[in-house]
Amino acid sequence: MEQSLLYPVVNAVRTDQKLDGLWRFSFDAVGVGPQEGWAKHLPKAVDMPVPASFNDFFTDKDAREYTGDFWYEKKFFVPADYQGRFVGLRFDAVTHRATIYVDGVKIRSHEGGFLPFVADVTDALHYGEENTVVVQGNNELSREALPAGDTITLKNGKKMVRPFFDFYNYSGINRSVHLITLPVERITDYTTDFTLAGADADVHYTVTTTGDHDVVAVLRDADGQVVAENTGKQGTLHVTDAHLWNVRAAYLYTLTLRITNDTTIVDEYSAEIGIRTIKIVGTEIQVNGQSVYLKGFGRHEDSPFAGRAFDLNVEKKDFSLMQWSGANSFRTSHYPYDEQVYQMADREGFLVIDEVPAVGFKMAAASFLGGLNQSFFKGPWIKPLHAKHLDQITDMIKRDKNHPSVFAWSLLNEPDTVTEESVPYFKQIFAETKDLDPQSRPRTFSLSEDDTIETSKDLDFPDIYLLNRYPGWYHYAGYQISDGEAGLREEMDKWAASGINKPIVFTEFGADTEAGLHKLPSVMWSEEYQVEVLEMFSRIFDSYPFIKGEQVWNFADFQTVEGNMRVNGNKKGIFTRDRQPKAAAFFYHKRWTNIPLDYKAQK
Ligand code: CKX
């Protein structure tokens, strides 16, 4: 677990300099780097943009598919006046493993390709001089790591990954690198939680620091006016006539935490917070006590050229398309996204289901992707995998717990839940994560089609049921779609008959569609067929009161491994990979802009 995951800020006592740009880059297929002193300097290298996945910049297939160790190097100047402060290199994400060296000295390693970590370089730096940071990365997949997969060696000696999941294994320094300096006595973390009382609200906060001085907490409204103040490392800020954060109607306050020594500011950290409550009441999802219906998408961080790298321009476009479509929510399928995504969701009032990269925990379902037909939770890899899974859930919650947009934690995507062996795993991971979130948000996981009310052994664990269903595509497809609709209705009738007392949100459904392919009458892969599949699902959603949300798979077409089920990627996007609308986008624009936020509220 990381010590401090606070997002870097710049103020009178904190600095943040991005080291993004061109770095030097080398593959290390035979693993000579450590012996040949690459930790100090890469002898041969090409230029490589950061942040970016390296894969799609290459024109030869061996490089694009490269699996193994890879190295990055960058020189950076460290001013003399940084001496005496904490100095760190913050990596927002390196996929999937990284070891950090400064001027040849190993600082630390980190595993987990979608969460940040800080290398404490305070004692390793040469102040007032140029320094060199080297990152030894690795992108292999294994059953002992998240996301799950295998790494195999071909007869020609080259390695390749076989993911048990359906997104391309884009690798490299996928998010920004920051050189940060902080005071020695500093704020390392804070939590917020809220109670609403009539028109007023209480903001309960806690702060952790590295020293003994007290903390002053100041809350300002959107106009910058102070509305509450308190001294103490924990306390309550009372807000009269509070402006609540609401779905697609966000209101943000700024919380400033300050350590002072008499009149000197020792440390200060400010962040936007939104006052709101989240509760699951029977089959209702309630925000501020009001029932909400989720409309939106499963997404990916995926775009041409830079792969899985965070790109503010792409993100801005995605938010405007989501707003236009009438959506109010998305799932960070299948890994935690760049922190700026949550900041944008906070400001735009989107609800986010935040997902950890526990994907591929069901080999049989992913057999077309290279998985094996055996029970995943029986394997000898479960013990080490569990430790990494818990570590990443812990860091995801630690990183994202103060975002008003985050409304639920998804602890797994489409795991095996039909075998007895899955039960102790679920029991343990749900018990261990129970108290991690001060806001006690709902915890959940998505259920694949094998996992129904009749087959799943793990339905007691989630607070909300997330269903991924594909009648009309993976079965009962084409002209058989009417049987697919009947089958799904039968399944929903069984949930209804069970006296279901938790909401169901459909987090995946859809059909692969080649943009521009039109056909009357429709055929699979045509834009017309995609709309027919989505109309079919909409009829079902509209028929059952306990279905409290629809997040179509996927927002945009995305890159996957190559295979006989994939035509240059997964084409279930409502938008193309370059973010142009398919006919389905206009279908959702019409449907969702007409569905009110409190659709199906029990009045
Ligand atoms: N669900 C049969 C997980 C996603 C995939 C999606 C698909 C599957 C379907 C499970 O990551 O992309 O195949 O389209």
Side-chain angles (χ1 to χ4, degrees):
M1 192 181 96
E2 286 294 312
Q3 231 231 323
S4 178
L5 291 178
L6 289 183
Y7 193 69
V9 297
V10 179
N11 59 27
V13 283
R14 290 178 170 240
T15 69
D16 170 22
Q17 181 199 339
K18 277 198 182 164
L19 298 186
D20 296 352
L22 282 183
W23 289 47
R24 299 180 76 240
F25 176 87
S26 269
F27 292 124
D28 189 11
V30 281
V32 295
Q35 298 80 45
E36 295 188 357
W38 292 18
K40 244 188 155 134
H41 176 62
L42 304 185
K44 276 195 285 171
V46 295
D47 285 341
M48 181 60 68
V50 167
S53 306
F54 62 72
N55 312 77
D56 285 350
F57 296 125
F58 292 101
T59 50
D60 64 301
K61 197 150 175 164
D62 286 345
R64 182 174 188 263
E65 298 294 327
Y66 178 82
T67 302
D69 280 2
F70 49 87
W71 296 70
Y72 285 83
E73 177 189 322
K74 175 102 177 156
K75 292 195 186 309
F76 61 105
F77 185 80
V78 179
D81 62 3
Y82 282 2
Q83 205 144 14
R85 296 169 59 73
F86 171 92
V87 190
L89 287 168
R90 187 195 207 258
F91 293 84
D92 290 349
V94 183
T95 312
H96 296 282
R97 285 165 210 91
T99 299
I100 311 302
Y101 303 87
V102 166
D103 294 331
V105 178
K106 180 177 167 181
I107 310 294
R108 65 163 296 175
S109 297
H110 178 263
E111 170 148 5
F114 309 96
L115 285 163
F117 60 96
V118 177
D120 176 355
V121 292
T122 313
D123 297 330
L125 291 173
H126 297 99
Y127 292 89
E129 289 177 36
E130 194 169 67
N131 289 254
T132 304
V133 55
V134 168
V135 178
Q136 179 185 8
N138 177 279
N139 65 349
E140 289 171 25
L141 298 178
S142 93
R143 298 170 193 200
E144 297 185 359
L146 288 70
D150 283 338
T151 298
I152 60 167
T153 304
L154 302 173
K155 290 204 171 73
N156 63 12
K158 304 220 163 89
K159 286 190 208 165
M160 75 173 269
V161 286
R162 291 171 62 124
F164 301 161
F165 51 87
D166 187 33
F167 52 93
Y168 193 77
N169 191 39
Y170 277 121
S171 310
I173 304 183
N174 275 328
R175 297 182 193 155
S176 286
V177 182
H178 311 248
L179 174 65
I180 54 172
T181 78
L182 309 172
V184 172
E185 182 173 354
R186 61 187 177 278
I187 293 155
T188 51
D189 202 8
Y190 71 98
T191 68
T192 49
D193 189 18
F194 314 100
T195 45
L196 310 182
D200 299 352
D202 282 329
V203 178
H204 313 287
Y205 72 90
T206 66
V207 189
T208 52
T209 73
T210 57
D212 294 331
H213 286 101
D214 224 339
V215 170
V216 175
V218 181
L219 194 67
R220 287 192 171 77
D221 65 16
D223 297 323
Q225 299 302 312
V226 174
V227 293
E229 192 165 336
N230 189 60
T231 302
K233 285 189 181 176
Q234 61 182 58
T236 295
L237 298 159
H238 184 77
V239 186
T240 313
D241 285 331
H243 299 274
L244 300 186
W245 184 96
N246 249 310
V247 185
R248 299 297 290 111
Y251 186 96
L252 296 174
Y253 289 86
T254 299
L255 176 66
T256 299
L257 304 166
R258 188 178 298 135
I259 305 175
T260 51
N261 184 2
D262 296 328
T263 52
T264 328
I265 296 178
V266 176
D267 189 22
E268 186 173 293
Y269 190 85
S270 293
E272 289 175 328
I273 63 161
I275 300 175
R276 54 103 190 87
T277 59
I278 280 165
K279 242 185 167 165
I280 303 301
V281 181
T283 60
E284 293 211 328
I285 300 167
Q286 294 188 349
V287 175
N288 303 327
Q290 304 295 313
S291 176
V292 301
Y293 184 83
L294 304 187
K295 306 170 278 181
F297 302 96
R299 301 176 61 201
H300 266 296
E301 289 189 308
D302 174 280
S303 60
F305 310 122
R308 183 135 297 115
F310 177 73
D311 181 331
L312 200 52
N313 307 296
V314 173
E315 199 56 40
K316 174 71 187 167
K317 180 75 182 179
D318 286 2
F319 267 86
S320 46
L321 293 176
M322 287 196 290
Q323 284 162 345
W324 169 83
S325 72
N328 62 14
S329 64
F330 59 88
R331 176 171 61 127
T332 69
S333 37
H334 296 302
Y335 37 82
Y337 289 0
D338 187 282
E339 286 140 295
Q340 294 164 89
V341 177
Y342 304 80
Q343 291 167 2
M344 288 169 99
D346 291 346
R347 289 180 193 152
E348 301 300 336
F350 278 81
L351 288 174
V352 177
I353 302 175
D354 206 0
E355 188 157 276
V356 80
V359 53
F361 287 19
K362 180 200 208 56
M363 292 178 174
S367 56
F368 67 88
L369 301 164
L372 302 174
N373 197 356
Q374 70 178 87
S375 166
F376 188 78
F377 290 103
K378 254 189 209 157
W381 51 82
I382 285 304
K383 210 168 160 209
L385 181 69
H386 163 262
K388 289 176 188 171
H389 189 186
L390 178 60
D391 184 58
Q392 293 193 35
I393 296 172
T394 306
D395 278 358
M396 174 177 76
I397 295 180
K398 185 168 184 167
R399 189 191 73 161
D400 297 338
K401 62 185 177 298
N402 290 311
H403 287 289
S405 55
V406 173
F407 105 95
W409 309 110
S410 170
L411 307 189
L412 309 101
N413 177 70
E414 296 178 351
D416 160 27
T417 75
V418 301
T419 59
E420 283 298 343
E421 290 79 13
S422 68
V423 180
Y425 190 92
F426 277 77
K427 201 170 174 188
Q428 195 178 350
I429 209 84
F430 271 81
E432 289 165 331
T433 54
K434 185 170 178 297
D435 298 322
L436 293 179
D437 175 14
Q439 295 184 10
S440 305
R441 291 170 179 90
R443 288 167 305 144
T444 183
F445 55 90
S446 72
L447 288 154
S448 87
E449 267 174 316
D450 301 337
D451 307 79
T452 67
I453 188 160
E454 287 169 318
T455 60
S456 177
K457 304 216 166 16
D458 299 307
L459 296 181
D460 285 343
F461 299 109
D463 298 312
I464 316 171
Y465 298 119
L466 307 183
L467 299 194
N468 296 358
R469 295 291 182 266
Y470 285 95
W473 192 252
Y474 288 123
H475 57 99
Y476 297 118
Y479 191 50
Q480 277 190 292
I481 190 173
S482 53
D483 281 0
E485 179 167 358
L488 190 55
R489 273 186 197 281
E490 266 171 43
E491 187 192 348
M492 289 303 114
D493 290 344
K494 283 179 193 152
W495 284 96
S498 75
I500 178 170
N501 199 26
K502 295 176 190 175
I504 286 183
V505 173
F506 273 70
T507 38
E508 284 190 28
F509 53 96
D512 281 88
T513 302
E514 189 57 38
L517 180 66
H518 293 285
K519 192 91 174 165
L520 185 65
S522 73
V523 286
M524 291 173 73
W525 293 91
S526 68
E527 295 200 27
E528 289 72 21
Y529 185 73
Q530 186 180 34
V531 172
E532 284 166 23
V533 169
L534 301 175
E535 281 170 344
M536 180 270 278
F537 274 98
S538 301
R539 282 194 293 276
I540 302 235
F541 301 154
D542 292 342
S543 309
Y544 295 89
F546 51 84
I547 298 177
K548 286 293 166 48
E550 48 189 272
Q551 294 186 333
V552 64
W553 191 250
N554 188 283
F555 171 73
D557 294 346
F558 59 92
Q559 195 59 242
T560 65
V561 288
E562 54 190 335
N564 49 17
M565 300 278 282
R566 294 288 174 262
V567 187
N568 187 24
N570 187 310
K571 295 289 170 69
K572 295 193 186 71
I574 297 311
F575 296 92
T576 60
R577 199 174 186 221
D578 63 356
R579 275 53 177 182
Q580 297 308 321
K582 297 181 189 173
F586 297 98
F587 167 74
Y588 276 122
H589 172 73
K590 192 160 173 212
R591 173 173 168 79
W592 288 343
T593 50
N594 281 301
I595 289 183
L597 181 61
D598 66 350
Y599 184 43
K600 301 187 194 175
Q602 289 149 19
K603 306 256 158 93

